[in-house]
Amino acid sequence: MAGAEFAGGVRQDGLPAALSDPARVAAVRATGLLDTEGEEVFDDLASLAARITGTGRAFVTLVDADRSFWKSCVGVDLTEARDRQSPVEQSYCYFLVEAGGGPFVVDDAAADARTATHPATGPMNIGAWAGYPLLDAEGQVLGSFCVIDDSPRSWSPSDLTTLATLARSVSAEVRMRQMLTASETAHRKSADLAHTLQAGLLPAALRTVPGIEAAASYMAASNRTRTDIEVGGDFYDLFRTHGDNYAAVLGDVCGKGVQAAQISSMARYTIRADASDTGSPAELLARLNTAMLDQDAPRFLTAVYIAFAPTIAGAGGTLALAGHPPALVRRAEGHVRPLGAPGTLLGVLPKPDFTDTPFTLGPGDLLLLYTDGATEARPRPGTAPEDAGSVFGETDLAQALADTHGMDATATIDHLTSVLHAHHHGWASDDTALLALRATPAHPRKPPAQR
């Protein structure tokens, strides 16, 4: 590289320091084009440049700190991405990086002091070279758009104007890829945050309660995927309040998104904080309603809350509904009945109306709490008639629960989930939360040992 001078300084290997600029290297990586296969849009522009200038070779090159990667290499028989690259010291492209936005043009590579001893001049049979930088929106040099002639030549103004125009077109395409990559990265981070937030609304594992089997499931609506940034408002919890007393809650915030998640989180922790102060579910829901109004919660909430304690014969407790569907009780013999009196939505009225409803669970009895995703399930639009018969309603859920006669809590939840899946063919129209509590069946006493 005798004769080459780099105003911006050099690295230890003698190449321009600008090659290793962190912002520039990050911008190159942000294109998402390194180590990718060739694409028609870049090949077409490179072919056009080679044809108009009459050269045999044209390249679209991305340059990081260590190598030149040829996104397009017209006139060179290389198809695999791993082969379309060279060490950066064997490329003229670093001259463009050093130039910071200007072109690099050589009429006679063997005679030009900047390129006469360059390691690429002889092996690549470079007679003349002309290139313009690929620039991102911030002016960072990402690489080059160049043509190579086997023989020395004088580049005409028309040649250079054509190259400059086509280089701008390639730069525009690369910038679009940068923006797409940045958008996908931001969306992925937002989705990860949303799903972390969603996971925080649900207990990692259900509390162990003596004499009670517990199982739960949460199914996100099918219009939300792992890359979706929306968060559902369904939540459930099972916790100890004091002594041998426990509580369970299941709720559904209207709408989705961060606001819904905030209200779900606030509701869950407000209930936990107040649960030890009162044994009345109706009073606790009233306190939650006040808290939501005091905080000007922008969404309303439906919920079912139960306070209970295990007994020798199973469990006994009280339940209250706040604009929520009634719970279902499956008796040990298989009979299913609803439980709970209708109550007011939370976060709407200053004087809500809630009713405590007592219940008992005998050995083998099961209590099911659910959100309306389980009673409004319907097939994917367009795959079944949109009539009332296509909706999986409360009667259907009660029958599905009756069909679980004899199953434990986990098997019951698994069966209900399977039935819902079969009805909507894997397409859930809404988030669905299920929580089952089953009193452990009594075991017959063993006869005393014979002496």
Side-chain angles (χ1 to χ4, degrees), residues 243-264:
D244 294 329
N245 296 281
Y246 296 83
V249 61
L250 183 142
D252 183 1
V253 177
C254 173
K256 296 176 176 61
V258 174
Q259 283 187 339
Q262 289 173 332
I263 295 171
S264 294

Side-chain angles (χ1 to χ4, degrees), residues 369-430:
L369 311 181
Y370 57 93
T371 57
D372 58 10
T375 53
E376 296 178 0
R378 64 196 70 218
R380 182 191 300 271
T383 61
E386 293 297 319
D387 56 23
S390 68
V391 177
F392 191 87
E394 294 182 4
T395 301
D396 299 304
L397 181 62
Q399 181 58 56
L401 182 59
D403 292 340
T404 64
H405 174 217
M407 295 184 185
D408 63 19
T410 299
T412 297
I413 292 297
D414 289 344
H415 177 79
L416 295 178
T417 301
S418 176
V419 170
L420 287 168
H421 188 279
H423 181 80
H424 55 53
H425 307 293
W427 186 86
S429 59
D430 196 3

Side-chain angles (χ1 to χ4, degrees), residues 132-342:
Y132 281 76
L134 304 180
L135 302 173
D136 73 0
E138 304 300 322
Q140 295 284 1
V141 179
L142 308 175
S144 72
F145 182 75
C146 71
V147 290
I148 300 176
D149 201 312
D150 294 349
S151 304
R153 63 179 285 176
S154 295
W155 300 101
S156 69
S158 177
D159 291 333
L160 298 181
T161 298
T162 296
L163 287 176
T165 300
L166 294 177
R168 286 195 295 271
S169 297
V170 175
S171 293
E173 181 69 24
V174 172
R175 284 197 292 270
M176 184 182 72
R177 305 305 178 89
Q178 275 184 307
M179 290 187 289
L180 179 61
T181 300
S183 176
E184 289 175 344
T185 299
H187 188 87
R188 184 169 59 253
K189 289 181 178 179
S190 296
D192 289 343
L193 176 61
H195 286 276
T196 299
L197 184 59
Q198 181 78 72
L201 302 179
L202 307 173
L206 290 175
R207 170 92 188 204
T208 299
V209 179
I212 298 292
E213 301 168 354
S217 73
Y218 172 81
M219 297 172 284
S222 296
N223 59 355
R224 300 195 357 254
T225 66
R226 178 62 206 172
T227 58
D228 204 310
I229 62 174
E230 280 197 326
V231 187
D234 290 13
F235 69 96
Y236 59 81
D237 202 1
L238 173 62
F239 56 97
R240 179 175 172 271
T241 57
H242 60 282
D244 294 329
N245 296 281
Y246 296 83
V249 61
L250 183 142
D252 183 1
V253 177
C254 173
K256 296 176 176 61
V258 174
Q259 283 187 339
Q262 289 173 332
I263 295 171
S264 294
S265 180
M266 181 271 286
R268 182 181 171 196
Y269 291 106
T270 297
I271 287 171
R272 274 184 170 254
D274 287 350
S276 60
D277 292 341
T278 176
S280 166
E283 181 180 340
L284 186 138
L285 291 176
R287 292 187 183 188
L288 176 57
N289 185 73
T290 299
M292 292 181 66
L293 292 176
D294 288 345
Q295 296 185 30
D296 293 323
R299 308 284 181 90
F300 64 78
L301 165 69
T302 74
V304 52
Y305 178 84
I306 65 171
F308 69 98
T311 65
I312 296 177
T318 310
L319 171 147
L321 304 175
H324 204 81
L328 293 176
V329 176
R330 187 199 69 197
R331 295 302 179 187
E333 71 276 8
H335 178 70
V336 173
R337 68 176 182 86
L339 177 68

